[in-house]
Amino acid sequence: MTHAHGDSYVFSSESVSEGHPDKLADRISDRVLDHFLSRDPKSRVACETLVTKNFVCIAGETRSTVKIEHDELVKLAREVILETGYDGFDDRFGHETAQIEVRLQPQAFEIANAVDQASAEHQGAGDQGLMFGYASDETPSLMPAPITHAHAIVKELARARKAKEVPWLRPDTKSQVSIRYQGGTPVEITRVVVSTQHAPTVTQPKIREYIVEVAIPKLIPAELLPKGWKDHALVNPSGAFTEGGPATDTGLTGRKIIVDTYGGFARHGGGAFSGKDPSKVDRSAAYAARWVAKNIVAAGLAKRCEVQIAYAIGVREPVSIMVETFGTSPHPRHELDARVRAAFDLTPYAISRDLKLEAPIYYATAAYGHFGRNPSELRGGFTWEQTNRIQALQGTAAPAAR
């Protein structure tokens, strides 16, 4: 996406709440992952979850020095369902009524043998694949504006629901924000769409009043809201939304990868994150790519930056690293590539070490995006949001150790 200075265009991104069936599946998978890592930081986990009407299936492959009992994982899943808000208001899906099956099996020996070497430093990538990271100076978090504001809406509705400030809100919520850009800069929101599950006792006018008069003005800067924006806001455009969640819509781990990343503003390699331990470069290298891109923008080397990293299974070093700045950097590509290689060690072992990815930090990532989050939201988490390699990229600090 390269745009001329005076170019005008509208870009849209969506987000979904933690109560969306796909996100509930992500949350269960990451809670299972955290449970393994809390007991054995070297655990290998690839956990996927399916949720549907009064049924949850937790499946995947694991390898760990500790034995996790079936009942432990069932209890964890019920806790996540309750925390997410499915507390029994609908007898078709709730923390007490859902049947939960666990189908975790041992990781294949061939995969284990390819990834884990005699020395931890020589650990190979857990799979082949290509991962992208992105950053832009258009918001304080160095994230694209559309996904930033879409996340803010569903996150606030979840907060208000849990705080019982808005008693008719229910867990399953979606948002979509369209923003007009001028010369690459966001100038105004052209459309906001919010669909929220609700109790049957509330009217649609009441829901709309809360969304457009209270929630959105609280979350989105006034300078981005043009005159008359409320007339164009769409709130529950399909009408009543009393039935939602897994009771009416099946959810699967890894089906919201664009919501998890940059709202479509950057390319995506296709690999999902949730339920995967850091030996899986689908997750850890995507975090590292964001770390690299964010530091490049924070260092003033570009206004926008996309980083691609690619790996082969069992191989330590990336097979390629690419930096794209969309014409926003005064530095040639080959120079930026060289700076990245000098400032960052992007082997799987080093990524996990430098970003502290063997800690049980993943449950907090499973809703409202993996990127653009404040590290203070989770002690020891979101380490890939740190801008701690600025000096190294600018050539004023020692290169990363290898």
Side-chain angles (χ1 to χ4, degrees), residues 10-14 146-147 176-179 181 190-191 262-265:
V10 174
F11 194 91
S12 302
S13 294
E14 72 160 348
I147 190 67
Q176 186 170 284
V177 175
S178 303
I179 296 183
Y181 283 73
T190 61
R191 187 63 65 96
Y262 307 100
F265 221 97

Side-chain angles (χ1 to χ4, degrees), residues 36 44-46 58-63 102-108:
F36 272 90
R44 299 292 184 246
V45 179
I58 302 169
E61 302 79 45
T62 66
R63 179 162 54 90
V102 179
R103 297 293 184 93
L104 294 175
Q105 61 187 4
Q107 183 187 56

Side-chain angles (χ1 to χ4, degrees), residues 20-95:
H20 185 283
D22 293 333
K23 277 286 127 201
L24 177 60
D26 285 343
R27 281 162 65 82
I28 292 172
S29 293
D30 272 336
R31 179 61 73 83
V32 170
L33 169 62
D34 279 354
H35 190 63
F36 272 90
L37 293 177
S38 69
R39 304 277 297 278
D40 173 12
K42 300 294 185 182
S43 292
R44 299 292 184 246
V45 179
C47 174
E48 300 186 39
T49 303
L50 176 146
V51 298
T52 188
K53 181 179 178 182
N54 266 339
F55 180 75
V56 176
C57 180
I58 302 169
E61 302 79 45
T62 66
R63 179 162 54 90
S64 181
T65 60
V66 298
K67 180 176 175 55
I68 305 295
E69 299 294 338
H70 173 279
D71 289 350
E72 291 180 67
L73 299 180
V74 170
K75 182 174 182 289
L76 286 176
R78 294 198 189 283
E79 289 173 355
V80 173
I81 294 167
L82 178 60
E83 289 171 10
T84 305
Y86 293 103
D87 56 5
F89 68 81
D90 187 337
D91 61 12
R92 295 172 299 172
F93 188 84
H95 69 293

Side-chain angles (χ1 to χ4, degrees), residues 15-18 22-23 26-31 33-34 151 155 256-257 259-261 272-276 283 287 356-357 359-375 377-378 380-385:
S15 183
V16 299
S17 70
E18 62 202 61
D22 293 333
K23 277 286 127 201
D26 285 343
R27 281 162 65 82
I28 292 172
S29 293
D30 272 336
R31 179 61 73 83
L33 169 62
D34 279 354
H151 282 323
K155 192 173 184 179
K256 286 291 178 284
I257 57 177
V259 171
D260 286 341
T261 53
F273 302 156
S274 289
K276 296 178 181 177
R283 182 171 218 161
Y287 290 177
K356 300 177 174 57
L357 297 183
I361 59 172
Y362 296 101
Y363 184 57
T365 70
Y368 314 117
H370 294 243
F371 307 122
R373 306 285 290 274
N374 189 328
E377 289 185 52
L378 176 66
F382 302 109
T383 50
W384 48 95
E385 292 298 317

